[in-house]
Amino acid sequence: MPSRTVRWVTHPLFWIAAVGLLFGVPLGRSVLRRAPTPPATLGSVPDFTLTDQTGHPFGTQDLRGRVW
C-alpha cells in the first residue's frame, strides 16, 4: 500500500500547482514593474530632405516619432 505522501506527489493537481508557482511568481513580478522611461532628447536637427536609393525624397517628416 503506497504511503500518503507518494499518492500526493503523484497527483496531477500537485504538479499543476508546483509549475504554476515556479513560473508564475517571476512573471507576476515583471508585470508589476513600471514602464521604462523614454530616452532623453539630446538635441534637435533642422528640417532636412534627402533622396534615398530609389530616388524618393526622405527627410525629417519620415523620422518624426522615432528614435534615430
Side-chain angles (χ1 to χ4, degrees):
M1 177 176 216
S3 70
R4 196 173 262 267
T5 305
V6 173
R7 281 189 285 155
W8 180 64
V9 173
T10 59
H11 198 276
L13 289 179
F14 168 77
W15 291 107
I16 291 170
V19 169
L21 284 174
L22 287 174
F23 292 107
V25 171
L27 289 176
R29 288 182 185 166
S30 66
V31 169
L32 296 177
R33 274 190 265 174
R34 286 186 271 152
T37 58
T41 302
L42 299 177
S44 61
V45 176
D47 288 342
F48 65 89
T49 302
L50 301 171
T51 304
D52 68 6
Q53 67 273 18
T54 60
H56 294 96
F58 177 81
T60 51
Q61 291 299 323
D62 299 310
L63 298 173
R64 195 160 309 255
R66 298 180 184 193
V67 177
W68 53 283

